[in-house]
Amino acid sequence: MNKHFTFTINSICLDENYHPSDKTRITTNFANLARGSHRQANLRNALKMIDNSFNALAHWDNPKGDRYTVELEIISVNLDIDGSGQTFPSIEVLKTNIVDHKTNKRIEGIVGNNFSSYVRDYDFSVLLAEHNKGQAKFSIPDDFGGLHGKLFQSFVNSDAYKQNFNKPPVICLSVSDNKTYHRIENQHPVLGVEYQPNESSLTEQYFKKMGLQVRYFMPPNSVAPLAFYFFGDLLNDYTHLELISTISTMGTFQKIYRPEIYNANAVAGKCYQPNLKNLDHSLTQIVYDRAERSQLANEQGKFAAEYFIKPYQKFFEQWSANFV
């Protein structure tokens, strides 16, 4: 790897006073909530939902359901390719921290959670669309997601990551609405009942190139399974409180963003197919602009192409060829 290829990490608190920076992908969940006239109420209500969910899951020695508060950090990862000091906003994730009001301790949670990436926007909104333009049958470009996967693995193995985080990331996403999920007998006290999909999704294949494997669990008090992408052993590498911090955070965002699935009024059965047209669901009291999110993904992909992919294309080709 080129010696000037470096990552730098910045973090800010995600609270009700948060304002997105100019370099934040504005389609990401927390940035979407932090815009418009309802921004402060959105953030306050979302954070309260996260705390309520956490305390409901961490119910032991917690009779009033108010023992814990979840604090969120936005972790922004910038990439300097040629040592010039000019950086590109390559990755952004959330990190959870847990405040135990009974012991007055602050417990480190999990980094990963709300994963966002301009390069992923480029792959899905620009590269994939251009590849299939005018084609009768949908197909995937050769080495689709290859560069993104190598960049992500480089970050996780970097000194910058190791100096800031004690454990590998866990990325929690929604299930795919064009796959069917079957409940199996395995059950975890925090993650809940496990599901398996009928076939691999494009997202699974994409994240596999990032070095991640996936398992699907429906936690207690939830109505649909979540997708957990991870390195190592998800069930044994993380404590119950660490896992709960991810479940409560991402479960809340999914209730807001995809209420048809995660705020549905019926619980997923043994054989479950998510339905984004499901009318039997409840809305949260939080304003979320889904139409704008979809429109802006294409713009962000074009931004990555103009300022990241095309200027350094030859470098990335050479670097990828020598990637180990």
Side-chain angles (χ1 to χ4, degrees):
M1 185 186 300
N2 188 304
K3 65 180 180 180
H4 297 306
F5 189 95
T6 56
F7 295 96
T8 55
I9 296 174
N10 299 308
S11 70
I12 61 172
C13 179
L14 175 58
D15 57 21
E16 65 182 60
N17 298 311
Y18 163 70
H19 288 272
S21 74
D22 293 338
K23 292 185 177 181
T24 291
R25 282 175 68 250
I26 50 180
T27 56
T28 200
N29 286 324
F30 49 81
N32 191 303
L33 298 180
R35 303 170 69 208
S37 59
H38 300 281
R39 54 167 304 282
Q40 193 167 51
N42 279 345
L43 291 166
R44 185 185 301 120
N45 291 337
L47 293 169
K48 184 60 178 176
M49 285 175 64
I50 291 171
D51 288 344
N52 289 343
S53 175
F54 188 101
N55 282 290
L57 289 169
H59 51 77
W60 58 92
D61 290 338
N62 189 8
K64 295 183 179 179
D66 60 359
R67 176 171 176 172
Y68 301 100
T69 297
V70 179
E71 294 181 348
L72 298 176
E73 290 180 77
I74 301 170
I75 307 298
S76 300
V77 184
N78 297 314
L79 176 60
D80 182 347
I81 294 176
D82 53 14
S84 66
Q86 296 294 318
T87 61
F88 184 83
S90 59
I91 295 169
E92 200 162 52
V93 292
L94 287 180
K95 180 178 183 295
T96 59
N97 296 289
I98 307 149
V99 178
D100 184 339
H101 298 290
K102 182 177 181 179
T103 62
N104 292 320
K105 290 182 178 180
R106 191 168 183 268
I107 304 163
E108 187 171 356
I110 293 179
V111 66
N113 296 289
N114 195 98
F115 177 80
S116 110
S117 161
Y118 276 106
V119 178
R120 185 173 67 165
D121 282 338
Y122 166 77
D123 283 338
F124 279 90
S125 298
V126 178
L127 181 61
L128 195 61
E130 290 179 352
H131 177 77
N132 285 283
K133 188 176 182 179
Q135 301 298 315
K137 185 178 180 181
F138 178 84
S139 65
I140 301 171
D142 292 340
D143 199 30
F144 180 70
L147 173 62
H148 183 268
K150 291 168 184 174
L151 288 171
F152 180 77
Q153 291 184 63
S154 295
F155 168 59
V156 173
N157 290 312
S158 69
D159 291 338
Y161 186 93
K162 295 173 183 177
Q163 290 166 6
N164 284 274
F165 312 113
N166 294 322
K167 292 185 178 182
V170 175
I171 297 170
C172 182
L173 303 177
S174 64
V175 287
S176 173
D177 63 323
N178 59 7
K179 303 291 181 255
T180 301
Y181 299 84
H182 298 272
R183 188 189 305 170
I184 62 174
E185 294 300 318
N186 191 39
Q187 186 167 352
H188 184 271
V190 167
L191 291 167
V193 293
E194 185 166 13
Y195 281 76
Q196 290 182 347
N198 62 326
E199 60 181 338
S200 176
S201 68
L202 180 56
T203 299
E204 281 187 24
Q205 297 165 31
Y206 193 82
F207 276 71
K208 187 175 182 180
K209 291 188 177 181
M210 297 163 61
L212 297 164
Q213 53 186 310
V214 63
R215 294 178 74 170
Y216 298 88
F217 286 91
M218 184 168 70
N221 309 324
S222 300
V223 297
L226 292 160
F228 295 88
Y229 289 87
F230 60 94
F231 296 98
D233 186 342
L234 176 67
L235 276 62
N236 293 301
D237 290 347
Y238 303 91
T239 68
H240 285 183
L241 290 183
E242 288 172 343
L243 292 172
I244 291 173
S245 71
T246 284
I247 294 167
S248 59
T249 299
M250 296 313 301
T252 293
F253 281 137
Q254 296 300 349
K255 284 182 179 180
I256 297 167
Y257 172 50
R258 286 194 162 174
E260 298 90 345
I261 296 175
Y262 291 98
N263 219 26
N265 295 324
V267 180
K270 293 183 178 179
C271 179
Y272 174 64
Q273 182 168 5
N275 181 10
L276 286 172
K277 296 181 180 180
N278 171 36
L279 298 178
D280 186 21
H281 67 274
S282 301
L283 296 176
T284 65
Q285 298 300 307
I286 297 173
V287 179
Y288 193 105
D289 194 332
R290 293 200 295 185
E292 182 185 52
R293 172 185 168 123
S294 299
Q295 294 164 2
L296 290 173
N298 187 53
E299 293 181 20
Q300 292 169 167
K302 291 178 179 178
F303 172 84
E306 181 178 356
Y307 294 101
F308 190 66
I309 302 296
K310 292 179 180 178
Y312 299 102
Q313 185 172 0
K314 290 185 178 179
F315 169 82
F316 285 136
E317 289 173 356
Q318 183 180 7
W319 176 73
S320 296
N322 296 316
F323 184 85
V324 178

